[in-house]
Amino acid sequence: MLKKLKNKLKLADNRGSSFVLVIVSATFLSILVSALLMGTLLAYKLRFYKLNSLNNFYSVEKAMDEIYAGIGAATNEHLYSAYTTTAEIVVYYKDGQYNNLTEDEANDLFKQFFMQGIKSDKTFSNMPTLIETLKGYITDPDVSLACDNLRIVFKDKEGREKYIKYVAGKNGKVTGVASANTIDENNIEEITFRNIGVKRTITLSSTDSASGAMAPGTYVQTITTDLVLKKPEYNVSFDMAGANSDSLYNYALLADMGLQVSGTAADTEVNIKGNIYTASDYYNKDYNGKTDTKVTNEYSRTVETKWGSTDESAYSGIFVQGDRANLTLNSDIIVNSGSLAAFDGAEINLSGRTSLLSELWTDNIIIGGDEGGQIKAAANAYVYDDTELNAEKSELTFTRGTYFGYSYTADDVRSINLLRTSGNLATGFKLKSHFSDSAIIVNGKNSTLDLSSLESLYIAGKSYIEFSKIAANTITDEKERKNFGLTKDSDYAFTALNDYSTGQSLDVKSNQLIFLTQWDLYDNTEVVDENGYTHVTLKFPKTFSNDVQINKLYTDFVKQLTSNNYIVEAIKETVSGHDYYYLYIQDGDNNKDGVNDAEEFVEKYYDLLNTGIDETKKKLYNVANYENFEVKLLLPSKDGDVDGSKIKTSGAVTAQNSDNSLFVKASADTSLQVDTALKNATGSKTFSVLLGNKGITENNNTFADIKKNSEALGDQTTLSKEEKVSNQINYMYINMKDHLSVVDKKDDTDTDVSAWEVAGYTKNGSTYTYAPIKGSDGKNLDTFDYNYSLTPLTKYVDYDKIFSKNLSINKVEPETNAVVIINANDVTLKSTAADGALQGIVICGGNVTFDKSVKSFRGMIISGAKIICNSSVDISADASFTATVLEECSKSDVEDLSLITREILKNYVKVDDKNNSEVSGSSLSDISYSDILAFQNWKKNVE
């Protein structure tokens, strides 16, 4: 039975089974292909998500690394600044002598300077600035800064914290709100940038999310961390070998005829780190006529000298010329007995070296020549004479600090006696100069004067029209030229005329506003008075006759004739072939809040200029030759309003409305407390060095003594507070010019020598007085006999020995590889090093010129004439290095090397061995910011 069943199965038809098998196989294959396709799609989808995730992660991590590196780079800069600051003061003053810091003391200072430098840097201590800085570090445009919880936290050595937190204000304006916590601000141990965040956002569409692996939407990945900056735990090495030093060693340059930088033929970038003493070459140099006080051979040379007849001579002090010239000064102290001048598009940048501010003592600040000169300063500026923006498109900006234009006298204190007696002064004088009566004047159109960041602005002087010095080329009559003592080459002649004050302390185009260029001369009215003034009578221009507003302006100055013509008395002056007429305004008080007549007229003029009808304005503009004279004036203000609380002047102040129109603020409306402002300015770190740096209490006492000594001039009971401050600053400036210190110096009898005595004033009882030289007719001559102020160079250098021996020494000190150059004449510095480096000490009687082979110089240069830079060079003072070179010279068996300490530098004292210290720290170049800057609380997140 079973066998039959098997046979039947063998005989059955199997054609339907094959068809089913085909269908099943095809179905299976389709499912397999679909699975493979889906798997591939999922693989690509996952790869897409992975790539985006990785990109997101690496982008935000990279951004955080960029922030870390950016802060680290700034940290390195502060490390270097703290190191150089400490290196400069490893030699310090105590108990009447100079000593060396120990290695531990130097490192304690280094660490304190470093932390204070970071804390004082607005980049990292001001919240809005910090945020902009951090954003600037991020290079990926898809990554943004997350700062909602950002804080800047300062921790002192006791562990107490004070913070500034981020607050988002209206219209996206960022502010920082500080906590009220009390910490030791001078002993910061740690600075934390807490909750710095970066984020990158990715958006998935429905197509991207087809697999369902991730839902459509926006995904954000963030990294948040704290960046902690700690006070360095390591010590760095300071070369403590050296000599008992002097403040002289902190000076990179000392030049009795100034510093000259030229960038007319090629790019000239000159960077100077260190203090500077520079003086002008055309006045106050009578000491060069005496053998024992002579500092230069320039005066005895037979070659033609310039003596103020050209810009680089007239404005020498610090003179930078050419649109390819750039001078950067990182100098705590600049004593510039001449002009700080940028000509023909040159640029000057000025700031401190060991702190943010420099102390600038100068006669003038001038921007002149062709258009485009710029001066930018972070400084407490003490300006004896005018600040002038004479070139078109001039820019003068103070980024921080104070400004004291403190001279209020109109006496001419130039001394040209030496030039005359030595035969180096032409008969017609050939002299350009400023003198006294400090003001700020904008004469160049399209210029910018930005004083908005100043803490205080004091201008004691008023702008003036310089009648006392007329252009020689305006005198064409040969007989008249001889009467003035003029030769055919003379540029200037001096007259008996007094200079005329315009009544303004801050003045725009002062040499035009009171010109009366369109008035008609009334026939036969010229009269020369006993003082040499040419008086004339002028008629109102016909276009003015029926203008009530203009007639009202001139009410105090006009008379009405029977013919209905209005006339005015004026002074005539001819300049460059053109006749100019000035209103004759007696400079006296008119019982209006102490405002004088000249200032009151200026106020009325500006009021009419800004509020009068269009036709009247047009006439005034034409009279003043004021067309298209656009300027930008930014003055110190409180909350953006020029209310006068940060300003004090003796005359009217030209200011600017928001629509760029000009207006006048009367001197009575400026309310700064000048003596308080001066006291605040002298609280800076750099000024404490000038006071002796002996601590706050002793420095305050020293400052009080200076104030008391300055009040020994004349009858103080008749002087205003502002005049007393001016006397005080002038007293300090005389000391600065004489011995690089604001305090009195002791003479051989160990008694203080008053600056008034230094300047040639005579002591009568308890006060000092000064009288000008009298001529045979009993009248004052044009000059004062300021045969004084033995330049500080003669305080430190025995030039008599240099000149008497006609020295010409050029040696290399082997231990320091420093050049030692002593020369009675000119010196040209050259370098044979591959990197153009040169270091050493240079003392000469003539010019010092840098050859283009010198790319950097470290040490000190003392020149009796000028220091000239016609190519790019970096110049740096290093007190410790200079002291070390001198110490090695003093031990040298080479006579030419030891001569500098034996005979040339006065009162050099060899260092006591006990003041030397062992060098035990690392080199600064071995230190990385990664040693002190670290990540903490690193958090990653995907939302």
Side-chain angles (χ1 to χ4, degrees):
M1 186 70 180
L2 184 60
K3 186 174 179 181
K4 288 180 179 180
L5 181 61
K6 286 182 179 179
N7 290 333
K8 284 184 177 183
L9 287 175
K10 286 180 180 179
L11 296 173
D13 188 354
N14 63 357
R15 287 176 291 180
S17 298
S18 298
F19 178 72
V20 172
L21 178 62
V22 170
I23 292 175
V24 171
S25 298
T27 303
F28 173 76
L29 287 174
S30 64
I31 294 172
L32 179 62
V33 169
S34 297
L36 289 172
L37 289 174
M38 184 60 70
T40 303
L41 180 61
L42 285 173
Y44 277 104
K45 196 77 170 180
L46 290 172
R47 183 176 179 83
F48 169 76
Y49 291 138
K50 181 180 180 182
L51 285 174
N52 272 284
S53 179
L54 288 174
N55 283 339
N56 211 24
F57 173 76
Y58 287 125
S59 294
V60 291
E61 187 173 69
K62 176 188 175 186
M64 189 61 76
D65 286 340
E66 288 172 337
I67 290 175
Y68 178 79
I71 295 177
T75 299
N76 273 346
E77 292 179 5
H78 281 284
L79 279 170
Y80 178 76
S81 176
Y83 179 84
T84 55
T85 299
T86 308
E88 289 174 353
I89 58 175
V90 291
V91 186
Y92 70 99
Y93 181 90
K94 184 179 180 181
D95 300 330
Q97 61 182 348
Y98 289 85
N99 304 278
N100 288 329
L101 294 173
T102 66
E103 187 80 356
D104 288 340
E105 289 171 334
N107 271 281
D108 286 344
L109 270 180
F110 161 66
K111 296 169 186 179
Q112 185 175 356
F113 285 152
F114 169 69
M115 296 303 289
Q116 287 299 319
I118 296 289
K119 182 176 179 294
S120 301
D121 189 340
K122 287 188 176 181
T123 302
F124 301 110
S125 60
N126 177 275
M127 184 61 73
T129 307
L130 173 64
I131 288 175
E132 290 304 314
T133 300
L134 297 181
K135 287 179 178 178
Y137 292 147
I138 301 172
T139 59
D140 190 335
D142 295 327
V143 178
S144 60
L145 182 72
C147 50
D148 291 347
N149 298 313
L150 182 61
R151 292 191 179 193
I152 309 169
V153 183
F154 304 99
K155 181 187 291 186
D156 66 11
K157 63 180 180 180
E158 302 298 329
R160 295 171 297 192
E161 291 187 351
K162 184 175 182 178
Y163 63 83
I164 302 171
K165 68 177 181 179
Y166 167 89
V167 175
K170 294 181 179 179
N171 301 320
K173 185 177 181 181
V174 175
T175 58
V177 178
S179 65
N181 301 0
T182 300
I183 63 172
D184 186 350
E185 304 278 359
N186 295 319
N187 286 285
I188 301 298
E189 296 285 316
E190 188 175 289
I191 300 174
T192 301
F193 305 102
R194 188 168 293 170
N195 299 323
I196 294 178
V198 290
K199 65 181 179 180
R200 181 173 182 265
T201 303
I202 179 173
T203 301
L204 295 181
S205 66
S206 57
T207 302
D208 296 329
S209 304
S211 67
M214 294 185 73
T218 300
Y219 296 88
V220 179
Q221 184 161 6
T222 63
I223 295 178
T224 304
T225 188
D226 300 340
L227 276 176
V228 182
L229 182 66
K230 296 184 178 180
K231 181 186 286 188
E233 296 180 354
Y234 51 77
N235 282 350
V236 296
S237 63
F238 294 91
D239 185 0
M240 306 307 293
N244 284 336
S245 181
D246 204 301
S247 61
L248 185 73
Y249 296 178
N250 288 315
Y251 281 77
L253 306 177
L254 298 102
D256 210 52
M257 286 187 174
L259 167 67
Q260 184 174 314
V261 177
S262 176
T264 55
D267 291 340
T268 304
E269 299 274 348
V270 177
N271 303 301
I272 300 175
K273 295 181 179 180
N275 296 343
I276 295 176
Y277 168 82
T278 44
S280 172
D281 66 348
Y282 67 102
Y283 69 103
N284 288 346
K285 292 292 179 290
D286 287 357
Y287 47 75
N288 280 303
K290 301 177 182 178
T291 302
D292 58 338
T293 57
K294 182 179 180 181
V295 295
T296 183
N297 273 334
E298 290 287 333
Y299 286 85
S300 59
R301 296 184 179 182
T302 57
V303 296
E304 182 182 354
T305 50
K306 296 174 181 177
W307 306 128
S309 63
T310 59
D311 290 335
E312 68 267 25
S313 176
Y315 300 110
S316 68
I318 298 175
F319 182 80
V320 187
Q321 184 177 32
D323 59 1
R324 302 175 72 177
N326 188 314
L327 173 64
T328 299
L329 304 176
N330 297 124
S331 308
D332 288 338
I333 301 166
I334 297 176
V335 186
N336 183 44
S337 186
S339 299
L340 177 67
F343 267 67
D344 301 331
E347 184 175 344
I348 300 175
N349 294 286
L350 167 63
S351 62
R353 188 179 190 187
T354 64
S355 69
L356 297 174
L357 291 175
S358 176
E359 302 292 338
L360 171 65
W361 301 78
T362 187
D363 278 12
N364 311 102
I365 298 176
I366 307 289
I367 301 177
D370 292 339
E371 66 180 32
Q374 298 180 44
I375 297 178
K376 182 179 290 185
N380 289 332
Y382 305 89
V383 184
Y384 179 74
D385 200 344
D386 294 337
T387 287
E388 296 184 18
L389 279 65
N390 292 330
E392 292 187 11
K393 299 181 181 178
S394 299
E395 294 183 21
L396 173 62
T397 302
F398 275 83
T399 57
R400 64 182 71 208
T402 58
Y403 181 101
F404 293 88
Y406 58 90
S407 179
Y408 60 88
T409 176
D411 292 331
D412 187 346
V413 295
R414 292 167 293 190
S415 178
I416 55 175
N417 186 53
L418 171 68
L419 305 184
R420 183 188 300 113
T421 57
S422 65
N424 286 318
L425 187 64
T427 306
F429 288 11
K430 247 186 148 180
L431 187 68
K432 292 181 182 177
S433 157
H434 292 261
F435 66 93
S436 190
D437 210 1
S438 180
I440 298 179
I441 307 162
V442 182
N443 285 326
K445 64 182 179 180
N446 297 314
S447 293
T448 298
L449 176 67
D450 187 353
L451 308 179
S452 59
S453 296
L454 289 176
E455 286 300 315
S456 60
L457 171 63
Y458 172 47
I459 314 175
K462 300 172 186 175
S463 60
Y464 58 88
I465 299 168
E466 199 170 12
F467 286 150
S468 66
K469 186 180 67 180
I470 65 173
N473 59 11
T474 65
I475 304 175
T476 56
D477 182 77
E478 185 176 348
K479 183 177 180 180
E480 190 177 1
R481 288 182 67 84
K482 287 182 178 179
N483 290 338
F484 275 107
L486 296 172
T487 67
K488 65 177 182 178
D489 298 322
S490 298
D491 295 326
Y492 285 86
F494 287 83
T495 74
L497 295 176
N498 292 321
D499 292 315
Y500 172 77
S501 172
T502 67
Q504 296 188 80
S505 293
L506 197 161
D507 205 347
V508 174
K509 209 172 185 187
S510 66
N511 61 340
Q512 296 293 329
L513 277 181
I514 303 183
F515 282 3
L516 307 177
T517 56
Q518 294 183 351
W519 291 52
D520 300 322
L521 180 64
Y522 204 87
D523 295 338
N524 303 317
T525 58
E526 287 195 14
V527 177
V528 180
D529 67 17
E530 61 181 4
N531 295 317
Y533 286 99
T534 299
H535 295 257
V536 297
T537 300
L538 302 176
K539 290 186 290 187
F540 258 30
K542 291 182 179 180
T543 56
F544 286 12
S545 299
N546 298 317
D547 193 311
V548 177
Q549 297 291 332
I550 292 181
N551 288 340
K552 184 178 179 181
L553 172 67
Y554 290 104
T555 297
D556 296 333
F557 311 104
V558 300
K559 300 175 183 178
Q560 186 173 1
L561 300 181
T562 55
S563 60
N564 254 353
N565 282 327
Y566 286 95
I567 61 173
V568 64
E569 185 180 7
I571 304 168
K572 176 185 175 182
E573 186 59 59
T574 304
V575 180
S576 300
H578 298 283
D579 291 335
Y580 292 97
Y581 303 98
Y582 306 83
L583 280 179
Y584 186 60
I585 306 174
Q586 296 289 344
D587 193 22
D589 289 343
N590 64 2
N591 298 318
K592 180 194 171 186
D593 299 324
V595 175
N596 63 37
D597 292 329
E599 181 179 349
E600 183 185 18
F601 175 81
V602 171
E603 288 184 63
K604 290 179 178 179
Y605 185 98
Y606 266 99
D607 287 342
L608 191 55
L609 192 64
N610 287 316
T611 61
I613 61 176
D614 290 342
E615 187 63 26
T616 299
K617 290 180 182 179
K618 182 178 179 180
K619 293 172 184 175
L620 287 174
Y621 271 111
N622 289 336
V623 169
N625 193 20
Y626 203 76
E627 306 96 328
N628 301 318
F629 194 82
E630 296 181 359
V631 296
K632 184 177 181 180
L633 302 180
L634 298 171
L635 302 184
S637 60
K638 185 176 181 180
D639 299 327
D641 180 25
V642 185
D643 62 353
S645 62
K646 291 188 174 184
I647 305 171
K648 184 65 182 178
T649 63
S650 65
V653 176
T654 307
Q656 195 163 37
N657 293 304
S658 57
D659 64 357
N660 295 328
S661 62
L662 300 177
F663 70 95
V664 162
K665 181 176 287 295
S667 57
D669 295 332
T670 60
S671 56
L672 172 76
Q673 295 295 316
V674 182
D675 51 351
T676 302
L678 178 60
K679 186 64 170 63
N680 292 339
T682 57
S684 66
K685 174 183 173 182
T686 51
F687 207 100
S688 68
V689 175
L690 303 180
L691 293 173
N693 206 17
K694 305 171 187 177
I696 295 175
T697 300
E698 192 163 351
N699 282 352
N700 286 338
N701 292 336
T702 302
F703 184 75
D705 289 341
I706 292 173
K707 181 178 180 181
K708 181 179 179 181
N709 293 342
S710 71
E711 292 177 349
L713 181 67
D715 184 4
Q716 294 290 306
T717 60
T718 62
L719 299 181
S720 66
K721 182 188 300 182
E722 290 73 29
E723 289 173 325
K724 290 180 179 180
V725 170
S726 291
N727 276 349
Q728 184 178 347
I729 300 176
N730 192 35
Y731 187 89
M732 293 188 285
Y733 187 35
I734 292 171
N735 276 327
M736 290 296 297
K737 290 191 292 186
D738 190 56
H739 43 244
L740 308 180
S741 171
V742 299
V743 298
D744 295 336
K745 288 290 186 177
K746 298 183 182 299
D747 61 14
D748 294 336
T749 62
D750 203 33
T751 58
D752 287 336
V753 178
S754 167
W756 302 133
E757 187 175 340
V758 169
Y761 291 82
T762 302
K763 190 172 186 178
N764 297 311
S766 59
T767 63
Y768 288 88
T769 58
Y770 195 86
I773 303 174
K774 301 291 184 179
S776 57
D777 59 357
K779 293 184 178 181
N780 294 349
L781 298 181
D782 289 328
T783 62
F784 280 33
D785 182 18
Y786 266 44
N787 183 13
Y788 75 88
S789 190
L790 298 181
T791 170
L793 304 193
T794 61
K795 299 286 185 180
Y796 300 106
V797 178
D798 194 335
Y799 270 98
D800 190 20
K801 285 188 172 63
I802 294 176
F803 292 127
S804 63
K805 296 183 178 181
N806 195 28
L807 293 177
S808 180
I809 296 172
N810 190 335
K811 296 287 185 182
V812 175
E813 197 291 305
E815 296 298 322
T816 58
N817 194 33
V819 296
V820 177
I821 298 175
I822 307 172
N823 200 300
N825 299 297
D826 294 340
V827 169
T828 297
L829 298 180
K830 297 182 179 182
S831 174
T832 57
D835 60 356
L838 185 68
Q839 57 186 9
I841 299 172
V842 180
I843 303 175
C844 72
N847 295 325
V848 175
T849 302
F850 280 91
D851 182 79
K852 63 181 181 180
S853 63
V854 181
K855 304 302 180 185
S856 65
F857 178 87
R858 178 172 70 145
M860 180 174 64
I861 300 174
I862 303 176
S863 166
K866 286 190 177 185
I867 295 175
I868 301 171
C869 302
N870 295 324
S871 57
S872 298
V873 63
D874 294 333
I875 304 170
S876 177
D878 188 329
S880 182
F881 170 74
T882 300
T884 301
V885 174
L886 292 175
E887 175 68 3
E888 293 298 331
C889 288
S890 70
K891 298 186 294 186
S892 177
D893 295 330
V894 179
E895 184 175 351
D896 282 353
L897 287 176
S898 62
L899 183 68
I900 190 172
T901 54
R902 284 188 293 108
E903 298 185 22
I904 303 305
L905 288 178
K906 294 180 179 179
N907 304 319
Y908 177 83
V909 179
K910 186 177 179 180
V911 67
D912 190 334
D913 290 339
K914 68 182 180 181
N915 285 328
N916 289 327
S917 301
E918 294 295 326
V919 177
S920 57
S922 303
S923 168
L924 184 67
S925 61
D926 296 331
I927 305 301
S928 169
Y929 60 78
S930 61
D931 296 319
I932 53 177
L933 183 65
F935 290 114
Q936 284 187 4
N937 302 320
W938 181 282
K939 298 175 183 177
K940 293 184 293 182
N941 188 42
V942 177
E943 299 173 349

